[in-house]
């Protein structure tokens, strides 16, 4: 039976709306300030509200779109790689340092997609590592060492 809405889009939109509403409501516990003098609750409130709007858009786009005839298999490779990258980052950031962890993590995340080749993933990982190092370590002065003690630094 084919319905006149996409269950996947409606559920995805509902999850976005719920997550965005939670963060926006929690942000109200902090001082928001103004656009020129932002308080600690300003950005979570803004981003939560944007997530709610995106969720409503996703849900609305699936309202008149029928579900596909055959559901796709879950992307186990992608899910395992993304979860693995998150765990790897948390366990090794202090020991390996910022640069190796971002390089390996972004390569693993890029390989989560079957559409990316290993060469493209390497290029993407190097570019992201350079950008993240410039933004977080150099620009924002993050206190994580570039190379950690496990590498003899």
């Amino acid at each position: 039976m084919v319905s006149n809405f996409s269950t996947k889009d409606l559920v995805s939109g509902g999850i976005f709306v719920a997550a965005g509403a939670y963060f926006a409501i929690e942000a109200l516990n902090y001082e928001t300030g103004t656009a020129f003098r932002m308080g600690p609750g300003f950005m979570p409130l803004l981003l939560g509200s944007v997530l709610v709007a995106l969720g409503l858009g996703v849900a609305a786009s699936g309202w008149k779109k029928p579900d596909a005839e055959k559901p796709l298999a879950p992307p186990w490779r992608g899910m395992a790689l993304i979860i693995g990258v998150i765990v790897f980052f948390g366990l090794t950031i202090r020991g390996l340092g910022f640069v190796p962890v971002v390089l390996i993590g972004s390569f693993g995340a890029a390989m989560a997609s079957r559409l990316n080749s290993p060469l493209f993933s390497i290029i993407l990982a190097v570019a992201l590592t350079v950008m993240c190092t410039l933004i977080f370590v150099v620009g924002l002065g993050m206190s994580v060492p570039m190379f950690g003690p496990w590498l003899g630094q």
Side-chain angles (χ1 to χ4, degrees):
M1 178 178 154
V2 177
S3 59
N4 65 345
F5 61 88
S6 171
T7 307
K8 180 177 72 171
D9 287 344
L10 290 175
V11 170
S12 299
I15 291 171
F16 287 170
V17 167
Y22 172 77
F23 284 110
I25 290 169
E26 284 297 316
L28 293 175
N29 292 329
Y30 299 98
E31 182 183 338
T32 55
T34 65
F36 292 110
R37 199 163 170 89
M38 296 179 198
F42 186 85
M43 285 307 287
L45 178 63
L46 178 68
L47 294 176
S49 302
V50 167
L51 189 57
V52 167
L54 287 173
L56 292 173
V58 168
S61 73
W63 187 251
K64 292 291 183 180
K65 184 168 67 173
D67 273 331
E69 291 292 326
K70 181 180 173 188
L72 299 174
W76 296 114
R77 172 185 163 188
M79 290 191 306
L81 280 170
I82 296 299
I83 291 170
V85 163
I86 294 168
V87 171
F88 172 78
F89 186 91
L91 293 176
T92 62
I93 186 70
R94 293 182 193 261
L96 286 177
F98 187 79
V99 172
V101 169
V102 171
L103 184 67
I104 294 167
S106 51
F107 176 76
M111 288 303 294
S113 171
R114 295 190 188 278
L115 302 176
N116 291 341
S117 70
L119 177 63
F120 176 76
S121 297
I122 290 170
I123 293 168
L124 184 63
V126 169
L128 283 173
T129 302
V130 169
M131 281 182 19
C132 287
T133 302
L134 290 174
I135 292 170
F136 293 108
V137 176
V138 176
L140 295 175
M142 201 168 79
S143 63
V144 175
M146 297 261 257
F147 297 95
W150 295 352
L151 299 175
Q153 298 290 329

